[in-house]
Amino acid sequence: MIYLFQLMNGIGLGMLYFLLAVGLSVIFGLLHFVNFAHGAFYLLGAYLCYALLQYGVGFWGALVLAAIIVAAIAAVVETGLLKRIYRLDHMYHIVATIGLALMIQEIVIIVWGPVGSSVPAPQALSGAIMLGNFIYPEYRLFVIGLTAVLAIVLWWVLEGTRLGAVVRAGSESTEMVSLLGYDINRINTAVFALGAGLAGLAGALAAPIRGVDPFMGVEALAVAFVVVVIGGMGSYTGALVAGLLVGIVQSLMTTIWPAGASLAIYIAMVLVVLVMPRGLLGRA
Amino acid sequence: MDKPLFHFALAVLVAVLLPFFIRSGTLATEVLIFAIAAAGCNLLLGYTGLLSFGQGIFFGLGSYTLGLMLIHTSLPLLPTLVLAMVVGCVVAIIIGALSIRRQGVYFVMLTLAFAQLFYFLAYTFSDITGGDNGLIGIPRRGIGPLALDSSWSFYGFVAVIFLISFAALQRIATSTFGRTLLAIRYNGQRAQAIGFPIRVFKIAAFAVSGAVTGLAGALHALLIGIAPLSDIDYHMSESLLVMTIIGGTGNLFGSVLGAAFYLIVSDTLSAIWPRWLLLLGALLIVLALYIQKGIWGLIERGVGAVLGRRGGPDAMAPDTAGNERP
C-alpha cells in the first residue's frame, strides 16, 4: 500500500517536473537557447507565491499571479537582454544566464532572507481524503489534477492552435516564419515568457509541498535537465514521459532507500543515455 | 599560445609576485591551485570547444582520494597526489566517453547531470566521504625532510607543482595534439573528414583535464585539511568554468588571471558585502555581451592599441564561436 501512496506522490512530483522541463524544452526547440536561468524562474515563482500569501492574497490568486508575474519578468528580460545574446555561441548563452540566475537568487535573498520558510497549503485543500484504504493529502491530489489539465491544454496549444503551428514551424526555420509575415521577435518573447511562466507556476505549486529556500532553483535546474536529457530535447511527449518517470523513481526510492532517492534519478538518466543516447523520444 | 616561453615566464612572475600582493598565504595558495584547475578546464573549453560542467567531479574526487589515502594509509604525499591524478584521469575518460556521444547543448546538460550524480554519490555514501561534513582531519605530510606545515612553505610547494603543471599543459597545448584539438574546436566536421579520430582526441583531452583537475582538488584538500562536500558540488564546476571564461578561453595564462581575479575579488567583496554574487552575476552578463575574450583578450587589445593596432597572432585568430551550433 505504501508503494501505491508513493506512486501517487511520484505522479504529482513528476507532473511538476514536467511543467518545469517542458518550458526549457520548448524554449530550446524554438530559440536554440540554453536557459540556465530556468531554475531561477521556478525559485521566483515559489517565493512570489509565498509572499503573496503573506500579503493576504488567496491561494488561487497567489498561484495565478505568481505565474503571470514571472512570465512578465521573463518577457522583460528577454526583450531587454537575452534577445541580444541569441546570435552568440552557446557558451555565452550559458554564461549570461548563469549570471542572470545568480542575480535573481541574490535578489531573492536580499528581499526574503537566506533562510527557507514553509508555505501552508490552502485551507480548502489542507485536509486528507481516503483513497481506498489509505489517506492522501488533498493538496497533492489537486496538484495532480491541475497539472494534468494544464498538460492537456498545453498539448492543445502546441499541436492544435495556429500559435502552436507557428512555434513548431519556427523551430524548423525562423526565416520561413518571418517570410510568412509573422513577427518572430514577438513569438520568441511569448514562448520565452510562457516557458518561464510554467516554471514559475511549478515553483508556486511546489511551495506548499517542499517549502521555499533560496537554493531551490539550482536543484530544479538540474532536475529539469535530467528530464530533458531522458525525454529528448524539444519533445513535448518526452518531457511528459520523462517527468513522470523521474518523479516516480524518486518517490518510490524514498521508500526503498531514502538516502539514495536523489541519486536514483541521476542513475536512471545515465542508464537511459547509455541505451538511447538521444533520450526516450528525442529526434535525430 | 605561440610564445610558450613568454607565457611560462608570466606564470613564474605570478607565482613569485603573489606573496607580495596577498598577505594571506592560504589565499595565495588557493589562487595557484585554482589556476591549475582552470587551466585544465581551459584545455577542454578553450582548445577542444567542450563546455563541461563535470570539472567539479574531478576536483572533488581528487580531494577525496587524497583525503582517504592520507587518513587511512601511511602513503607518502607524492604518491597520493599521483593517485588523485590517476583517479581524476580515469573518471574523466569514462565521463568524457559517455558525454561526447551527444554534442552541443546536450553535451553540456549531460556533464551537468553527471556532476549532480557524483555530488549525490558523495552525499549519500557519507561513511566514506563524510557526507555534509566532508572528510575531516587530513594530515599534511611533508616530503622527506621538507615539512610543509607553515602556510608559505606550503605555498612554495604548490607553486612548484603549479609551474610544472602549467609547463606540461602548455607543452600539450602547443604540440601536434593540442593543434589537433584546436582544429576540432574550429571545425570538428572538417577535422573528422581529414581523418582525425575526433572522439579519441576529445576523450584524451578529457583525460588530461581530469588528471590536472584531480591534482588541483587534492592540493585544495591538503591546503584546508578537509575534503569538503563543496569540492564536488555543482558550484565547483560552475566556478571553474567562470574563472576560465573570465580569464579568456584558449589561452592557458588567461586561466591563471581568471582564477586570480575570481578569488581575490570574491575574497575582497565578500568581506564588504555578503551579497556580492549579485555583482558577479552582472559581470557575467557584461562578459557574455561585451568582453567575450575575457581579461586576456582585454590585455591583448590594450597592448595591440599601444603598439599601433598590431595584435598578436592570438588576437587575429578567428572567433569561431558559431561552429558548435546545431
Side-chain angles (χ1 to χ4, degrees):
Chain A
M1 224 3 87
I2 184 79
Y3 290 108
L4 196 59
F5 180 79
Q6 289 296 357
L7 186 67
M8 292 286 288
N9 273 346
I11 292 172
L13 197 60
M15 291 303 282
L16 287 180
Y17 288 167
F18 159 72
L19 281 189
L20 187 63
V22 72
L24 193 69
S25 202
V26 170
I27 289 170
F28 182 80
L30 178 68
L31 304 172
H32 292 283
F33 180 73
V34 207
N35 181 21
F36 269 66
H38 204 66
F41 291 129
Y42 169 87
L43 166 73
L44 212 51
Y47 265 95
L48 283 170
C49 175
Y50 164 72
L52 288 166
L53 286 173
Q54 296 249 302
Y55 287 126
V57 179
F59 185 77
W60 306 104
L63 210 57
V64 174
L65 269 177
I68 290 175
I69 296 173
V70 171
I73 292 173
V76 171
V77 169
E78 200 272 347
T79 326
L81 174 71
L82 300 182
K83 189 183 279 182
R84 311 158 54 149
I85 297 174
Y86 292 153
R87 63 192 159 78
L88 303 176
D89 180 48
H90 284 314
M91 183 174 105
Y92 302 109
H93 296 176
I94 292 168
V95 172
T97 48
I98 285 179
L100 185 62
L102 270 180
M103 291 182 77
I104 293 175
Q105 180 179 308
E106 292 303 306
I107 289 169
V108 164
I109 295 178
I110 290 170
V111 176
W112 289 289
V115 185
S117 297
S118 61
V119 176
Q123 204 86 65
L125 295 168
S126 60
I129 55 165
M130 293 296 291
L131 276 182
N133 50 3
F134 66 101
I135 299 171
Y136 200 77
E138 280 175 16
Y139 180 73
R140 290 184 181 227
L141 212 57
F142 153 76
V143 169
I144 295 177
L146 179 68
T147 46
V149 170
L150 277 172
I152 293 167
V153 170
L154 206 59
W155 177 80
W156 174 74
V157 168
L158 287 175
E159 298 291 328
T161 66
R162 182 168 284 260
L163 172 72
V166 172
V167 168
R168 279 179 292 128
S171 69
E172 300 290 329
S173 164
T174 43
E175 287 86 358
M176 184 52 77
V177 171
S178 298
L179 281 174
L180 288 172
Y182 291 98
D183 183 348
I184 196 73
N185 282 332
R186 280 177 55 192
I187 293 166
N188 285 349
T189 309
V191 167
F192 191 83
L194 174 70
L198 287 172
L201 185 65
L205 281 171
I209 298 177
R210 71 175 302 290
V212 291
D213 70 80
F215 307 103
M216 63 196 282
V218 176
E219 191 188 307
L221 183 69
V223 170
F225 281 178
V226 170
V227 170
V228 169
V229 166
I230 292 181
M233 195 69 136
S235 162
Y236 172 87
T237 330
L240 184 63
V241 172
L244 285 171
L245 181 75
V246 169
I248 291 169
V249 166
Q250 191 177 4
S251 195
L252 287 180
M253 284 301 289
T254 315
T255 314
I256 302 167
W257 182 32
S262 294
L263 185 58
I265 64 173
Y266 296 99
I267 293 175
M269 179 211 69
V270 173
L271 290 179
V272 168
V273 168
L274 282 176
V275 183
M276 309 172 87
R278 302 203 175 278
L280 294 175
L281 292 154
R283 286 171 297 177
Chain B
M1 194 157 54
D2 286 306
K3 296 160 281 186
L5 259 178
F6 172 62
H7 288 208
F8 182 71
L10 286 178
V12 173
L13 208 64
V14 168
V16 171
L17 290 183
L18 261 183
F20 295 97
F21 288 100
I22 303 177
R23 293 239 182 82
S24 149
T26 309
L27 180 61
T29 313
E30 219 167 12
V31 167
L32 294 190
I33 289 173
F34 281 97
I36 297 174
C41 181
N42 207 344
L43 190 74
L44 276 186
L45 178 60
Y47 287 81
T48 326
L50 293 172
L51 196 150
S52 157
F53 266 89
Q55 298 305 101
I57 302 171
F58 319 135
F59 194 88
L61 285 176
S63 294
Y64 285 126
T65 306
L66 175 117
L68 288 170
M69 286 302 128
L70 289 187
I71 290 172
H72 299 298
T73 72
S74 54
L75 269 181
L77 183 56
L78 287 181
T80 53
L81 289 176
V82 173
L83 201 63
M85 291 181 78
V86 171
V87 170
C89 177
V90 170
V91 175
I93 289 174
I94 296 168
I95 289 175
L98 291 176
S99 305
I100 60 164
R101 295 171 65 169
R102 308 298 309 272
Q103 286 186 331
V105 190
Y106 306 85
F107 170 84
V108 176
M109 292 192 165
L110 261 179
T111 53
L112 187 130
F114 275 117
Q116 287 292 102
L117 172 66
F118 274 82
Y119 170 79
F120 281 109
L121 272 176
Y123 183 81
T124 306
F125 293 97
S126 52
D127 298 346
I128 304 170
T129 61
D132 250 346
N133 301 320
L135 267 180
I136 308 168
I138 299 172
R140 196 189 285 173
R141 263 174 220 153
I143 300 173
L146 262 175
L148 298 172
D149 26 25
S150 90
S151 74
W152 288 113
S153 67
F154 188 63
Y155 176 85
F157 171 68
V158 170
V160 170
I161 295 185
F162 160 72
L163 290 175
I164 295 172
S165 315
F166 188 84
L169 278 174
Q170 210 171 28
R171 182 76 191 77
I172 289 169
T174 48
S175 67
T176 316
F177 172 72
R179 296 285 158 180
T180 313
L181 293 183
L182 273 180
I184 291 170
R185 179 194 170 169
Y186 288 160
N187 196 329
Q189 281 177 335
R190 194 178 291 174
Q192 192 163 28
I194 295 170
F196 286 113
I198 64 169
R199 285 178 55 94
V200 177
F201 274 90
K202 283 180 177 177
I203 294 172
F206 254 101
V208 175
S209 180
V212 171
T213 313
L215 173 68
L219 290 172
H220 188 243
L222 199 59
L223 170 72
I224 59 179
I226 56 173
L229 187 61
S230 63
D231 272 7
I232 202 163
D233 194 359
Y234 155 85
H235 288 290
M236 181 56 72
S237 303
E238 194 179 77
S239 304
L240 291 178
L241 274 175
V242 166
M243 287 175 201
T244 310
I245 294 168
I246 287 180
T249 54
N251 183 291
L252 291 175
F253 185 71
S255 300
V256 179
L257 292 177
F261 178 87
Y262 184 92
L263 290 169
I264 295 171
V265 166
S266 67
D267 186 70
T268 316
L269 284 182
S270 60
I272 303 169
W273 191 40
R275 301 271 68 84
W276 69 278
L277 282 173
L278 187 65
L279 299 178
L280 178 68
L283 172 70
L284 290 181
I285 293 173
V286 172
L287 208 65
L289 277 172
Y290 304 109
I291 328 174
Q292 295 176 359
K293 289 176 178 238
I295 300 175
W296 181 256
L298 276 182
I299 294 175
E300 258 182 348
R301 217 189 295 171
V303 171
V306 171
L307 298 179
R309 302 205 167 279
R310 285 188 306 118
D314 294 359
M316 293 304 191
D319 191 338
T320 52
N323 277 349
E324 276 269 324
R325 273 169 193 274

